[in-house]
Every structure is written in C-alpha cells, then in structure tokens.
Amino acid sequence: MEKVKPYINQQGTKKEQVESMFNSIAPRYDLLNRWLSFGIDKLWRKRVVNLLADLPAASILDVATGTADLALEACRIKPAGVQAIDISEGMLRIAQQKVLKYGRQHTIHLRQADSENLPFEKNLFDAVMVAFGVRNFEDLQRGLGEMARVLKPGGRLVVLEFSKPNRFPFKQLYNFYFTRILPWWGGLISQNRAAYTYLPASVKAFPEGAEFEQQLVQAGLVPVKSMPQTFGIATIYLAEKKG
C-alpha cells in the first residue's frame, strides 16, 4: 500500500501528520462531513451498527472515533460500554462535548490512543468498529493486527471505509466531485486545503475489496462479507476473529 501523507512538503511520519491534520480541522469536521457527503454518511454508520445489533450487552471498541459519531450511534443497541479512542486531541475535545450533550458519558469512554498500539489487553471486546480510519493508519497490517488482538475469539470487526465507484457514468461524476470540488470546498471552509487533497489521494491508494479482505486474513481475521454502499462510494467490511 502506497503511504500517502497529508502534507507533501512537511517533515514527520504519516501518523504525526494525520494527528496534526485532524487537530487542525476538528472544529469544522462535523459540518464538512454533513455537507460534503450530503448527509449519507449517517446512513452508513447506522448500517455498521446494525451488524452488531444482535450482540447482547456488547463490549465495543470504536477505533479512530473522531468526533464520536459512530460511538454515539452504537448507543442505540444498548452496549455494555463503548471504549472510543483517537490519536487527535482536537477531535476528542469535540467528541467529549457531543457525548455530554447527548448524555452518553456513562456508556462512552473517550481516550487518546494510537490505533496501532492499542492500550487494551487481548481478547477483551465483543466487537471492534472503525469508520473512515484504517485508511489513515501508518501501518495498515499492524493496525488490523491490533484490532484482532483485542477482539474476543468469535468477536466481530466492522470497517467502514471509502472505496472507488467503477460504473459509468457515476464513476466519472464522482471522480470529478472528489478530486476537484471537494478539495476546493473543503479547503475553503476548513482553512486546510491539504486535508481535503489528502482525502482523495488516500482513497486512491487504499487497498479495497478483495485486496483489503486479504489484509484482514493476514491479520488473523475471517472476512464474512463486504457490502458496497451508494454506488461504491464506501464499503462496509464484516469480519470475525477465529474462535
């Protein structure tokens, strides 16, 4: 997998640059998410959580939680608790405000942590979920391996990540929007054009579909199914840890 960084002309590892980028865009992140996705990302998150709805009183880990949208959605299925981690302090500040606003502080526990070095013991969680986060890992295989490590045998991993539409004419329309309109509009509102230039570049470099499923296998997980969303703009991957 090609290692795309947010800031081409700056020093630092991908991990350091990603942390800096999200700290920078955190105050406008939710607004931009709703505008730039036309709100459809909320539907995708509901579908992620629906894949865990039959787990009674589940212990859930939300990796790369951002502003806690997915963690908050998970409260709908009444989990025993949600540990929500992110590398960005700026994103976690916004997440904390939202968790308190919706009265979920007794269910969602926020923590600054590295997705590739999770501060949890092995075989701890019934489910691990991550929305739009694995693409930002410095070392994808290490990050997947860490999520597999903390899952209980038989536990579920659900990954929501961007992918690339491949059908005419939606492919062409989407590529124009994603590479021309989104970087300009996102950069204008966030005051960080690099962040919204990095987005399409990182999606282009990400190993989607069968290639990503192979990464899951290498991490000790068993792919169950992959579900393209909205003409292939995103894909939900469901996998299980070997029992």
Side-chain angles (χ1 to χ4, degrees):
M1 175 181 169
E2 181 185 355
K3 196 169 288 185
V4 177
K5 297 181 181 180
Y7 304 110
I8 299 173
N9 299 317
Q10 290 187 21
Q11 297 298 313
T13 65
K14 178 176 179 177
K15 189 179 298 183
E16 291 167 342
Q17 289 196 11
V18 165
E19 180 180 3
S20 175
M21 177 188 75
F22 280 114
N23 283 338
S24 171
I25 66 175
R28 296 181 178 87
Y29 181 78
D30 283 342
L31 172 66
L32 279 163
N33 261 7
R34 298 295 95 80
W35 282 11
L36 296 175
S37 73
F38 305 103
I40 203 161
D41 60 302
K42 296 172 71 174
L43 173 62
W44 298 337
R45 287 185 177 88
K46 286 181 184 297
R47 289 174 175 169
V48 167
V49 171
N50 286 345
L51 292 171
L52 307 177
D54 63 321
L55 298 177
S59 175
I60 299 174
L61 172 63
D62 182 24
V63 172
T65 192
T67 61
D69 275 347
L70 188 58
L72 287 164
E73 179 63 31
C75 292
R76 172 170 58 84
I77 62 171
K78 296 180 172 56
V82 180
Q83 294 287 337
I85 66 110
D86 200 278
I87 199 171
S88 166
E89 183 180 356
M91 297 290 272
L92 287 171
R93 281 198 297 268
I94 305 297
Q96 184 64 44
Q97 294 170 11
K98 290 165 67 174
V99 168
L100 291 172
K101 175 183 176 182
Y102 292 106
R104 297 299 190 181
Q105 62 271 22
H106 301 299
T107 302
I108 299 174
H109 307 282
L110 297 164
R111 182 172 183 175
Q112 187 174 15
D114 180 359
S115 302
E116 297 166 45
N117 188 24
L118 295 172
F120 304 105
E121 61 187 66
K122 66 180 182 180
N123 303 330
L124 184 62
F125 296 100
D126 298 299
V128 177
M129 56 187 191
V130 51
F132 309 115
V134 294
R135 171 177 48 85
N136 299 319
F137 289 177
E138 176 98 38
D139 184 331
L140 175 59
Q141 190 55 219
R142 176 166 180 154
L144 294 176
E146 276 291 274
M147 291 189 284
R149 179 182 66 81
V150 301
L151 266 176
K152 294 177 182 178
R156 296 179 198 171
L157 171 67
V158 189
V159 175
L160 169 61
E161 190 51 87
F162 285 115
S163 48
K164 299 177 283 290
N166 55 23
R167 291 188 179 181
F168 178 86
F170 191 77
K171 173 183 176 180
Q172 287 72 19
L173 291 170
Y174 176 77
N175 285 342
F176 178 78
Y177 173 75
F178 209 47
T179 59
R180 302 291 182 86
I181 304 300
L182 184 144
W184 176 82
W185 191 239
L188 182 68
I189 296 174
S190 70
Q191 300 299 301
N192 189 329
R193 183 177 173 86
Y196 289 90
T197 302
Y198 163 75
L199 173 55
S202 64
V203 172
K204 182 179 179 181
F206 185 73
E208 63 179 277
E211 193 177 350
F212 181 65
E213 289 181 346
Q214 187 56 42
Q215 296 274 354
L216 293 170
V217 171
Q218 290 176 23
L221 296 158
V222 180
V224 176
K225 57 182 174 180
S226 299
M227 297 151 278
Q229 305 294 306
T230 317
F231 305 105
I233 293 176
T235 301
I236 296 173
Y237 302 90
L238 173 64
E240 293 181 350
K241 183 174 178 177
K242 295 175 182 177

